[in-house]
Amino acid sequence: MPTGCSGAPTTPIGTAARQLAHGIRAFQRNTAPLVRGELARLAREGQQPSQLFITCADSRLVTSMITASGPGDLFTVRNIGNLVPPPEAEKGDHSVGAAIEYAVDVLGVESITVCGNSGCGAMNALLGAAPEAPDTSLWRWLRHGLPSLARVT
């Protein structure tokens, strides 16, 4: 019977979930033994990343690969289009602002990097958006990019 990340039995799963479960098992068997000591040290001592890395949720972007970083090196925020909503917005999503505040005030990161990627679907959607885009969660999020779009067009 398949198991979840915790090892607890789960219901039968589809192909994508089987691939994920296979990857988790491979990590536990091959990689975890190599990094267990470092992860234990980070758990004991707490995280002390020097960088806040804000990047797109695009599945092709592998932050540790493009930055040659390891566990504890980056405090990472990923979202659709690597957008940072304005802090003065009373309503809306405050998770990015909260992450920035935590990284700067609590973790003391030395720098903040906003990393874009070529062929970003979110930015392409924003560039091609109709003036009255549909009122969906995606479009409410993408509207945070409209001020930047206005500056470059």
Side-chain angles (χ1 to χ4, degrees), residues 13-28:
I13 54 178
T15 302
R18 270 194 301 278
Q19 288 174 333
L20 182 63
H22 174 75
I24 291 168
R25 283 191 303 275
F27 170 80
Q28 290 172 340

Side-chain angles (χ1 to χ4, degrees), residues 39-53:
L39 295 176
R41 183 190 68 74
L42 289 169
R44 275 190 319 274
E45 297 175 12
Q47 61 176 322
Q48 296 177 347
S50 62
Q51 309 287 316
L52 168 59
F53 200 73

Side-chain angles (χ1 to χ4, degrees), residues 114-129:
V114 178
C115 174
N117 61 295
S118 10
C120 178
M123 294 301 103
N124 286 334
L126 191 59
L127 285 168

Side-chain angles (χ1 to χ4, degrees), residues 51-123:
Q51 309 287 316
L52 168 59
F53 200 73
I54 301 172
T55 190
C56 188
D58 189 309
S59 63
R60 299 167 294 181
L61 196 85
V62 183
T63 57
S64 59
M65 187 182 300
I66 66 170
T67 62
S69 59
D73 292 340
L74 300 176
F75 188 72
T76 305
V77 173
R78 295 183 72 143
N79 66 52
I80 305 295
N82 55 281
L83 294 171
V84 178
E88 69 275 359
E90 191 58 36
K91 294 182 178 178
D93 187 306
H94 297 282
S95 64
V96 178
I100 292 170
E101 184 178 327
Y102 184 79
V104 172
D105 295 344
V106 176
L107 298 176
V109 298
E110 297 170 15
S111 69
I112 300 172
T113 301
V114 178
C115 174
N117 61 295
S118 10
C120 178
M123 294 301 103

